[in-house]
Amino acid sequence: MIDLTIHSKTLEKNIAYCREKGITLPTFAMMKNPDMVPEKIKDQLKTIGLWDLHSANLYRITWNNEPRDTGGLFGRVNHFVLPQELTGCRAKIIMLSGRWFPTGAHKVGATYGCLAPGLVTGQFDPQKTKAVWPSTGNYCRGGAYISSLLASKAIAILPQEMSKERFEWLSQIAGQVIATPGCESNVKEIFDKCWELKKSGEDLRIFNQFDEMGNPLWHYTVTGKAIETLLEQYLTPGKRFAGYISSSGSGGTLGAGYYLKQKFPRSKVVAAEALQCPTLLNNGFGAHRIEGIGDKHVPWVHNLKETDFVVAVDDEVPMRALRLFNETLGKKALVNSGVDADLVEKLDLLGISGIGNMVAAIKFAKYNELTEDDLLVSIATDSMQLYESRLNELEQERGVYTDTNAIKDMELISAITIDHTKELSYYDRKAIHNLKYYTWIEQQGRDVEELNDQWYDHDNYWYPMFDQVDSIDKLITEFNDRVGLL
Ligand SMILES: Cc1ncc(COP(=O)(O)O)c(C=O)c1O
């Protein structure tokens, strides 16, 4: 369970601090349904940019932001639909778009899920304690951003090979940015850095997304509800919701899938990863280019009993699709081949892992022989906003994009097969779950009994914990009432 013990002294301090700084906090209910956001906050948002360092932007931690860079309020869940003409599979793939969150990525939600309980219980003191955000990129951007909104100090940790855009922006926002050795899949190095910081004696609170349940809790509650709302719209008679596909970095986004399985018990949860680092598929390891995912370990917060499929995606496919979807000649070729021109203009809403998710969804659809009556849902965590530099690097590496490249890249997508798609048996799931032992018990000092509870006492472990969201909301509401600004 998430610890909700009240620390009264710090709580009093936090209330006084937020009153002084003009800060109030959104409840999870508001993030699910922004109609509930107070009018006073909506008035403020009308003049505030999406990424501005203004505490009212905490209320923009929702999938329902109006797609505007400034002054936007709330509307429908941001998404777009990928049809057969683009994907080559018969099922439609609905992609939620993370582009319209502050910081341009949905990970800011996970950071709030981890931080909010600490603030409203008084377990975390933003005036005194530095928040540490270990991440492969977007989570530490989100964490540094939220810390900034709270006018408190943050340390962002991410691997040195992440995209330039991430580092440039972070250097302006986070008090301290620590680059750890390696790429994407070098999470052990990030954990080592956390231990080093812990031992330094500095007053720090490490919000470790890989083992903080606030991370999947946010997705279970907010992303899960956003998808359910969309499905109410798309599931016309005769249509089926077949599955939810999410790549795993910290394993948080998969949390929405557990919610969806409660609501649509015949749907499947599909975890995607890079073929170059196939830890879930076959205990593999390696470096890859899908930023944000696949970390040579199984996150503590990943619920394997609810994971039905693992799909590994060759990272070359997203790299080539990135060019196809964003180069002028690529977009022209897509339109000529029959893809709707409006959709083509929206394909820049897919970052690299979003394209990876699309590829995994296609594999899942083909493996399961899905038809036009089936709907799949997946996530575009971030967008091309964070990868322009990657596009330039690809041009330097491979030359200017040509018509021939575009044709070959379209063929690459239509030729996606079901290879590296694994339907998990009970013991396949257990084998992956057991891998947690080596990272979490041996290395990181977690409790083996809890590991066993995750598996053997599954229903009592996971669902009461997710249901704590109502208690957290109650604490947030009481906190706001005592701040007294709404
Ligand atoms: C671009 C991108 N895609 C996917 C993910 C994976 O999401 P999660 O950590 O919730 O598994 C991340 C995580 O940081 C990310 O930054």
Side-chain angles (χ1 to χ4, degrees):
M1 298 290 274
I2 295 171
D3 181 6
L4 298 180
T5 315
I6 302 290
H7 295 215
S8 308
K9 237 168 133 184
T10 310
L11 177 58
E12 288 302 328
K13 240 181 107 189
N14 288 355
I15 289 167
Y17 176 72
C18 284
R19 189 180 305 123
E20 180 199 322
K21 298 277 176 199
I23 298 167
T24 58
L25 304 172
T27 59
F28 282 75
M30 289 177 196
M31 292 183 277
K32 284 197 286 186
N33 174 13
D35 286 347
M36 296 170 68
V37 170
E39 289 304 318
K40 201 168 165 180
I41 299 289
K42 286 188 189 157
D43 283 342
Q44 289 178 332
L45 292 176
K46 284 177 192 159
T47 56
I48 294 173
L50 184 62
W51 293 36
D52 285 0
L53 296 176
H54 189 298
S55 64
N57 266 341
L58 289 169
Y59 289 83
R60 285 193 170 127
I61 303 178
T62 171
W63 290 99
N64 295 70
N65 288 318
E66 255 187 272
R68 290 170 54 176
D69 286 319
T70 196
L73 289 178
F74 307 108
R76 59 174 206 160
V77 172
N78 286 307
H79 73 285
F80 49 101
V81 180
L82 303 178
Q84 184 171 7
E85 300 83 66
L86 180 76
T87 62
C89 72
R90 291 164 70 190
K92 282 202 169 59
I93 305 170
I94 302 173
M95 301 292 305
L96 266 69
S97 166
R99 158 73 174 83
W100 301 106
F101 280 87
T103 74
H106 78 26
K107 292 293 298 187
V108 71
T111 62
Y112 186 75
C114 294
L115 181 80
L119 265 183
V120 298
T121 53
Q123 290 173 25
F124 173 68
D125 179 343
Q127 295 180 81
K128 181 163 100 32
T129 306
K130 272 189 198 168
V132 181
W133 303 100
S135 148
T136 52
N138 283 328
Y139 177 78
C140 74
R141 291 176 66 252
Y145 179 77
I146 291 215
S147 294
S148 240
L149 301 189
L150 297 170
S152 68
K153 293 208 176 76
I155 302 178
I157 307 181
L158 73 169
Q160 65 194 13
E161 290 173 28
M162 304 308 292
S163 74
K164 240 192 237 156
E165 286 87 339
R166 284 170 166 77
F167 279 101
E168 281 168 9
W169 183 82
L170 267 171
S171 63
Q172 298 157 31
I173 300 291
Q176 196 179 342
V177 181
I178 298 177
T180 47
C183 66
E184 250 349 285
S185 48
N186 290 75
V187 170
K188 168 73 167 52
E189 289 74 0
I190 297 175
F191 291 155
D192 291 348
K193 179 52 77 178
C194 288
W195 282 107
E196 197 185 308
L197 288 172
K198 263 187 205 167
K199 285 181 193 150
S200 71
E202 212 183 332
D203 189 353
L204 303 167
R205 163 81 158 85
I206 295 176
F207 290 100
N208 184 350
Q209 59 169 336
F210 302 94
D211 76 348
E212 291 258 354
M213 289 297 174
N215 173 13
L217 173 109
W218 188 84
H219 286 289
Y220 182 91
T221 309
V222 181
T223 307
K225 183 66 194 176
I227 296 171
E228 188 186 11
T229 310
L230 273 182
L231 287 173
E232 279 162 12
Q233 174 192 334
Y234 282 98
L235 281 177
T236 50
K239 301 279 184 211
R240 291 179 297 256
F241 169 51
Y244 171 70
I245 297 96
S246 168
S247 46
S248 170
S250 68
T253 312
L254 281 164
Y258 318 146
Y259 177 83
L260 293 167
K261 277 181 85 164
Q262 307 273 312
K263 299 284 165 183
F264 304 91
R266 292 181 65 187
S267 68
K268 305 288 183 203
V269 171
V270 183
E273 63 181 352
L275 181 61
Q276 284 73 12
C277 183
T279 309
L280 306 176
L281 186 70
N282 51 22
N283 302 358
F285 49 88
H288 67 90
R289 294 169 291 174
I290 307 180
E291 298 188 33
I293 74 166
D295 304 318
K296 288 194 291 214
H297 78 284
V298 181
W300 184 252
V301 304
H302 184 165
N303 180 352
L304 268 307
K305 249 192 185 165
E306 295 289 24
T307 306
D308 303 294
F309 276 78
V310 167
V311 179
V313 171
D314 184 343
D315 68 1
E316 180 59 8
V317 185
M319 297 322 281
R320 280 176 53 185
L322 192 75
R323 299 191 87 191
L324 176 68
F325 292 173
N326 292 284
E327 294 284 357
T328 310
L329 290 181
K331 292 198 272 185
K332 209 165 120 200
L334 285 168
V335 175
N336 289 342
S337 75
V339 183
D340 178 66
D342 288 342
L343 174 65
V344 171
E345 284 312 315
K346 287 187 191 147
L347 293 177
D348 65 354
L349 291 173
L350 290 160
I352 301 171
S353 74
I355 302 176
N357 279 343
M358 176 196 85
V359 176
I362 295 170
K363 284 172 166 292
F364 176 79
K366 289 188 174 174
Y367 180 98
N368 290 288
E369 302 180 320
L370 301 185
T371 72
E372 289 74 10
D373 290 333
D374 292 298
L375 290 168
L376 296 173
V377 177
S378 189
I379 304 284
T381 303
D382 58 13
S383 71
M384 272 310 287
Q385 218 178 1
L386 301 183
Y387 301 102
E388 281 302 327
S389 63
R390 293 290 184 222
L391 211 52
N392 298 336
E393 285 163 18
L394 283 166
E395 181 165 312
Q396 276 164 23
E397 192 186 300
R398 301 175 183 195
V400 171
Y401 202 70
T402 63
D403 288 324
T404 313
N405 290 136
I407 289 166
K408 284 189 178 161
D409 293 343
M410 286 193 302
E411 282 168 2
L412 183 72
I413 293 178
S414 60
I416 288 170
T417 67
I418 63 173
D419 56 358
H420 315 299
T421 301
K422 185 170 179 179
E423 187 169 5
L424 300 177
S425 69
Y426 180 86
Y427 285 101
D428 290 332
R429 294 167 208 234
K430 192 168 181 193
I432 303 173
H433 168 81
N434 286 345
L435 271 187
K436 287 187 185 178
Y437 180 85
Y438 304 98
T439 303
W440 296 106
I441 311 305
E442 283 198 342
Q443 276 176 25
Q444 304 300 328
R446 302 279 321 206
D447 175 18
V448 73
E449 270 179 38
E450 190 178 340
L451 179 69
N452 284 331
D453 286 348
Q454 287 191 352
W455 187 261
Y456 295 107
D457 200 17
H458 175 267
D459 290 0
N460 290 325
Y461 179 89
W462 294 96
Y463 297 104
M465 184 264 295
F466 290 137
D467 287 344
Q468 280 180 290
V469 74
D470 293 332
S471 310
I472 298 172
D473 264 3
K474 197 162 163 272
L475 290 172
I476 294 175
T477 306
E478 284 166 14
F479 186 91
N480 285 337
D481 287 348
R482 291 174 68 188
V483 170
L485 296 176
L486 287 177

